[in-house]
Amino acid sequence: MRHPRPPQTDENPAGIDLPLEPLPGHTSRGRLERVLRRGEFAVTTELNPPDSADPEDVYDRAKVFDGWVDAINAVDASGANCHMSSVGICALLTRMGYAPIMQIACRDKNRIAIQGDVLGGAAMGVANMLCLTGDGVQAGDQPGAKPVFDLDSISLLETVRIMRDNGKFLSGRKLTTPPQLFLGAAVNPFAPPYDFRPVHLGKKIAAGAQFVQTQYCFDVPMFRTFMQRARDLGHAEKVFLLCGVGPLASAKTAKWIRSNVPGIHIPDAVIKRLEGAADQKKEGKKLCIDIINEVKEIPGVSGIHVMAYRQEEYVAEIVDESGVLKGRRPWKREVRPDDAMVAARLDHLLHNEVTETQVDMVKSAH
C-alpha cells in the first residue's frame, strides 16, 4: 500500500530565518523557486524603500503583503533616487522570514562591490537576485552623481551565474562556498524597438536569467504579441515570466506617468476609462484586476509582479479579487508565542541590569 506523500513545506521547521532544504534541480533554497517549479501561479511585489534608518519602517511596509505574495522586491535606488539600500532591506526581511528579491543595479557599483554584495546577500539568506542595468543618474534627484556602469544587466547575470555554477569570482579566484541563487532579470515588452524585445529576452536567458519580471502592462494586446513571439523563439520554456501590473490612482496620474516616466506605455483607452469613472482610484484598482485576469490566461505567463507605488495597501485586495492564488496561501509571518518574551528580556537586559555592582566591577578591572 502506497502512503500519501506529506505536503511539501516552504518553511524550515528549525527556524523561519533558515534556508529550506535543497531540492533536485533547484539552484536556490528559497520559496519563490519552489512555487514556480511546482507550476503554481506566483505573485511578487515591491517594497517602497524608506528614506529612514528605522527598521520598523521596513517591517510596517512588509506587513501589508503577509499571506498574499511569494516574494518581495527590495528595490535598489530605482529612478536613480537614494533610499535605504537593497542590501539593508534584505538583511531586515530575511531576519523576519520574508523571501526578498534583492535587486542589483549596475549604475552605482563596480564588479568588485557587486560580487561582494552577492556573497553578502546570499550569506544573509537571500535566495533571489534581480539583475538590472539601472536608470541613468540624470533621472534622479542627484544628477551630479558619478555613474559607474562597469557591468550591464547581461554581464551582471553572467557574473552571478559564474559565481554560483563555477564557484569563482570573475578574476578566476575560487569561492569557498558558492551562493545558491535563483536569478532574475527585467524585460520591457512595451518600449521600442518592439521586435527586438523578445530577442533581448533570449540574451538574458542565455546569460543566466531563470525568471523575469516585466514593466507595467497596461496594453494587453501588445503583451500578447510579445508573448507569442517569445513562445515562437522557445523562450517561454526556459524562463518563468511574471507580468508587471499595478493600479493607477487617477487619470491625472496616468498622464503624468506617460509623459515623465520612460518605458511605461499607457494607451489612451486606459486614460479615458479612468476619466469616465466616478471614483478613479477604485476604477484604477479594478482595471488592474481586469488586466490580471487577461494576462493570467496567456500561455507562458507564470505569475504577476504587482507594483503598487504608494498604494501598497491595495495589493492584498488586488490579489484576492483576481483569484490568481486559487485558494493557495503564500507564506505569512505569524507572531510566535515567544516574541513578546524575547522583546521583554532584551529590554530588561538593556535598561535594568547595568547595576552599580557591575559598574564597580568594570572600574576595578582597570
Side-chain angles (χ1 to χ4, degrees), residues 84-353:
M84 184 186 288
S85 72
S86 177
V87 173
I89 291 170
C90 286
L92 295 169
L93 293 181
T94 53
R95 182 188 303 173
M96 300 297 281
Y98 290 101
I101 298 172
M102 184 170 130
Q103 291 190 1
I104 303 178
C106 299
R107 175 191 55 246
D108 306 313
K109 298 173 184 176
N110 66 16
R111 66 191 68 188
I112 297 172
I114 286 173
Q115 289 173 93
D117 280 353
V118 169
L119 293 183
M124 292 186 298
V126 173
N128 317 290
M129 291 194 179
L130 190 77
C131 299
L132 305 167
T133 298
D135 300 308
V137 295
Q138 68 277 4
D141 58 1
Q142 299 183 61
K146 291 184 178 180
V148 180
F149 293 115
D150 184 25
L151 303 174
D152 62 12
S153 60
I154 291 178
S155 55
L156 174 56
L157 281 165
E158 292 172 337
T159 297
V160 184
R161 178 173 54 80
I162 288 169
M163 294 175 71
R164 183 193 68 196
D165 297 348
N166 298 351
K168 295 179 180 179
F169 290 111
L170 283 182
S171 65
R173 186 157 49 91
K174 289 185 178 180
L175 297 171
T176 305
T177 303
Q180 296 176 297
L181 297 168
F182 191 45
L183 295 184
V187 294
N188 189 354
F190 314 104
Y194 305 114
D195 291 343
F196 177 67
R197 295 302 168 183
V199 176
H200 196 221
L201 170 60
K203 293 179 183 292
K204 292 190 175 184
I205 294 170
Q210 297 165 285
F211 74 96
V212 294
Q213 296 171 331
T214 80
Q215 181 58 278
Y216 284 102
C217 174
F218 294 110
D219 191 327
V220 177
M222 184 178 287
F223 182 62
R224 280 202 186 94
T225 300
F226 169 83
M227 287 303 302
Q228 181 63 59
R229 182 64 176 143
R231 292 194 300 272
D232 292 343
L233 292 171
H235 299 338
E237 302 167 3
K238 301 174 184 177
V239 73
F240 298 103
L241 191 140
L242 285 72
C243 180
V245 296
L248 290 166
S250 66
K252 182 179 179 181
T253 299
K255 289 177 180 178
W256 186 91
I257 291 173
R258 186 166 69 172
S259 300
N260 295 278
V261 183
I264 298 183
H265 165 65
I266 303 177
D268 290 339
V270 167
I271 293 174
K272 288 180 180 178
R273 175 173 168 175
L274 293 172
E275 287 176 334
D279 185 334
Q280 293 192 10
K281 195 167 188 178
K282 185 176 180 180
E283 190 65 23
K285 187 186 78 169
K286 187 176 184 302
L287 170 69
C288 180
I289 293 169
D290 289 345
I291 291 173
I292 291 172
N293 284 325
E294 289 191 69
V295 300
K296 73 182 182 183
E297 303 298 333
I298 299 174
V301 175
S302 300
I304 52 172
H305 178 55
V306 187
M307 296 171 280
Y309 180 66
R310 293 185 177 177
Q311 298 187 79
E312 289 87 352
E313 68 279 3
Y314 278 162
V315 171
E317 294 179 30
I318 289 169
V319 174
D320 185 32
E321 293 176 28
S322 68
V324 290
L325 292 176
K326 297 181 179 178
R328 180 174 69 87
R329 192 71 167 167
W331 181 87
K332 180 178 181 180
R333 163 119 176 107
E334 304 288 352
V335 178
R336 294 175 4 182
D338 60 346
D339 282 353
M341 180 182 70
V342 171
R345 179 61 178 158
L346 284 172
D347 184 70
H348 183 68
L349 288 170
L350 290 170
H351 298 101
N352 298 329
E353 291 197 358

Side-chain angles (χ1 to χ4, degrees), residues 17-33:
D17 57 336
L18 298 177
L20 302 173
E21 290 301 312
L23 289 177
H26 289 228
T27 59
S28 78
R29 297 170 71 179
R31 290 193 294 271
L32 178 61
E33 184 176 8

